[in-house]
Amino acid sequence: MKYDFNRIIDRRNTRSYKWDQSEKLFGDKEILPLWVADMDFASPPAVQEAILRRVQSGIYGYSVSGDSYKAAIAGWYRRRHDWEIQEEWISDSPGIVTSLSLSVELFSQPGDQVIVQSPVYYPFYDVIRMNDRKVAVNPLKLEAGRYVMDYAQLEELMAGGAKLLLLCNPHNPGGRVWEREELLRLGELCLRYGVTVISDEIHCDMIMPGHKHIPFASLSPELSDITLTTLAATKTFNLPGLQTSYIVTSSPELKQKFDYKIKTLSLHMSAFFSPEAVEAAYNEGEEWLDELILHINGNAHYAISYLAGHLPQVKPMQLEATYLLWIDCRALGLDADGLKQLMYREAKVAFNEGSVFGLEGQGHLRINLACPRSVLVEALERFTGAAAAYVTR
Ligand SMILES: Cc1ncc(COP(=O)(O)O)c(C=O)c1O
């Protein structure tokens, strides 16, 4: 391995959202944070060098992203995901959640139903409710320990008038890589009922060996034209602090509305550091990413077998994508407060508490595996040690 993902980089006192808030959020600064989705790894060297070049220029003026930036994005999806994106389909946005929120505002009306598949990344609910729309939940079903979509219920929601769907592809939490047939079936329903799809594919690059991400918009020209895909290099290359993302849509109508809104809010100016960083990541970060995926996959296997050996009551879901392991802790018999007590007071670890992802997340925890193995080992030891008391009670 060329890159060392087991090196500890001390992130305390770096204004880190994850590492510098344990006391404020959980009441104890010794709590080991494996929650919010950023990684404890340095970005690829080429990205660091690109940012350093920008820092060293000394003048931080208004900037443009340049033609090579969009070419780097298009090249990435062609190479990694067999998806042909035209550069005119791309627009920048400061963040995925920003794009989701603007899309809800643009492509639905106040009071409309917007479909999500629960449990799901919690800002999906926020952007619907805070825009005065209604959340139309299509709970995912568990089949053989994997989440699958409930098409009958989806069709009911669409027939009932829901015209917008927030798709999470791959899915967070749970890490499902939706397969071609599953997405096609979903797509058929969307076409039949005139539903616009906002496909959040931020986790598309973190795909475990043996699985393949299918961009929803790549399924057919018809589906491409009803889809706005939200994407970023930030999850893949650990750049979320750069606050940069983009949307892709082949629909001139969706694109024009999105661009107009971005301009209205004056969010269209290019950020100073991000285009060069994103370009470097896509053009020179591939080998780094391939090694990172092996590290994450190794951490997932380690955690799954550690839990099987030390706390078999807790059931982890097989990780197909993302670096976020979803574990079913219902056998511990704890409600949300009980799980928090176990994590923060007894085990001194912070995972994400599952009910924030929706009703179906109750009794679950989400563990961020993007850390050196030794940090994961420590967290699992703390957690299983403290949880043991509940299974023997
Ligand atoms: C599904 C999903 N979408 C969006 C985001 C965040 O994107 P951004 O920071 O660009 O708003 C995350 C972060 O974990 C995520 O899991």
Side-chain angles (χ1 to χ4, degrees):
M1 294 275 258
K2 186 163 160 192
Y3 302 99
D4 181 5
F5 297 105
N6 283 317
R7 182 165 68 94
I8 301 274
I9 302 175
D10 188 359
R11 300 183 66 195
R12 290 193 172 91
N13 303 314
T14 63
R15 300 177 192 245
S16 163
Y17 193 81
K18 186 182 186 181
W19 283 87
D20 288 328
Q21 296 203 102
S22 285
E23 185 161 17
K24 184 173 160 202
L25 298 179
F26 314 120
D28 187 336
K29 67 176 183 340
E30 296 312 318
I31 284 172
L32 208 49
L34 285 82
W35 58 290
V36 66
D38 81 4
M39 308 198 269
D40 295 333
F41 313 125
S43 293
V47 174
Q48 296 179 45
E49 284 153 23
I51 293 174
L52 265 178
R53 274 196 302 277
R54 296 296 275 164
V55 169
Q56 283 164 352
S57 73
I59 298 177
Y60 309 120
Y62 291 123
S63 55
V64 291
S65 55
D67 296 339
S68 52
Y69 165 72
K70 287 190 177 173
I73 294 175
W76 180 260
Y77 291 96
R78 188 177 310 120
R79 289 195 308 281
R80 301 282 301 192
H81 301 298
D82 305 315
W83 186 24
E84 285 296 332
I85 295 177
Q86 292 177 25
E87 291 172 29
E88 316 80 79
W89 297 356
I90 305 170
S91 299
D92 278 345
S93 161
I96 300 262
V97 179
T98 308
S99 301
L100 296 175
S101 185
L102 293 180
S103 299
V104 168
E105 190 187 340
L106 289 168
F107 310 124
S108 67
Q109 300 299 320
D112 279 359
Q113 306 262 341
V114 180
I115 302 173
V116 299
Q117 308 202 82
S118 169
V120 75
Y121 180 58
Y122 42 87
F124 277 38
Y125 300 99
D126 297 340
V127 298
I128 297 171
R129 294 195 179 115
M130 293 169 89
N131 279 303
D132 296 324
R133 273 62 168 174
K134 295 201 181 80
V135 177
V137 182
N138 181 44
L140 292 171
K141 297 194 296 188
L142 262 180
E143 257 175 32
R146 280 171 116 206
Y147 283 132
V148 294
M149 297 186 202
D150 182 343
Y151 296 99
Q153 160 89 358
L154 262 177
E155 182 157 12
E156 229 171 82
L157 293 172
M158 292 179 186
K163 291 277 175 268
L164 188 65
L165 163 75
L166 302 188
L167 174 67
C168 196
N169 178 34
H171 198 83
N172 169 31
R176 262 309 311 279
V177 174
W178 300 119
E179 287 165 14
R180 181 177 298 277
E181 292 65 34
E182 296 176 293
L183 292 173
L184 277 172
R185 204 167 156 194
L186 173 71
E188 272 166 29
L189 287 175
C190 295
L191 287 171
R192 193 177 322 146
Y193 289 95
V195 171
T196 301
V197 179
I198 310 302
S199 188
D200 179 347
E201 304 195 359
I202 191 171
H203 292 284
C204 70
D205 295 317
M206 194 59 65
I207 304 292
M208 296 305 114
H211 296 276
K212 178 152 176 56
H213 169 70
I214 310 289
F216 184 75
S218 73
L219 290 169
S220 71
E222 292 75 27
L223 289 173
S224 179
D225 281 345
I226 59 162
T227 304
L228 184 144
T229 308
T230 62
L231 291 160
T234 53
K235 202 70 36 188
T236 313
F237 295 101
N238 207 23
L239 313 167
L242 291 188
Q243 303 258 284
T244 184
S245 80
Y246 47 92
I247 61 105
V248 173
T249 180
S250 60
S251 155
E253 193 196 333
L254 296 181
K255 173 105 170 34
Q256 192 260 330
K257 285 189 176 152
F258 192 87
D259 287 349
Y260 190 83
K261 188 75 192 176
I262 287 278
K263 184 90 193 288
T264 306
L265 296 169
S266 191
L267 295 174
H268 60 293
M269 289 298 290
S270 187
F272 186 82
F273 293 105
S274 40
E276 207 156 317
V278 169
E279 196 175 319
Y282 284 151
N283 289 342
E284 298 169 72
E286 216 152 335
E287 194 188 1
W288 180 93
L289 175 61
D290 289 337
E291 289 193 10
L292 170 64
I293 289 172
L294 295 181
H295 177 80
I296 299 293
N297 197 39
N299 273 0
H301 283 293
Y302 179 86
I304 290 170
S305 67
Y306 187 93
L307 289 168
H310 293 80
L311 194 63
Q313 295 79 2
V314 159
K315 304 282 178 224
M317 199 169 265
Q318 290 300 321
L319 193 75
E320 300 176 356
T322 79
Y323 51 73
L324 305 161
L325 186 69
W326 185 236
I327 62 175
D328 179 349
C329 302
R330 284 175 292 181
L332 299 179
L334 296 171
D335 62 9
D337 286 339
L339 282 172
K340 286 182 188 161
Q341 164 81 13
L342 165 60
M343 286 192 289
Y344 311 147
R345 302 279 83 76
E346 293 159 19
K348 308 267 184 226
V349 292
F351 305 145
N352 285 90
E353 197 279 301
S355 63
V356 300
F357 300 93
L359 271 184
E360 293 68 25
Q362 281 177 354
H364 290 69
L365 295 173
R366 196 190 73 171
I367 306 178
N368 183 339
L369 301 170
C371 56
R373 175 68 58 85
S374 59
V375 175
L376 177 65
V377 170
E378 169 85 32
L380 290 170
E381 282 175 4
R382 289 189 192 189
F383 178 69
T384 54
Y390 290 87
V391 291
T392 51
R393 258 175 208 172

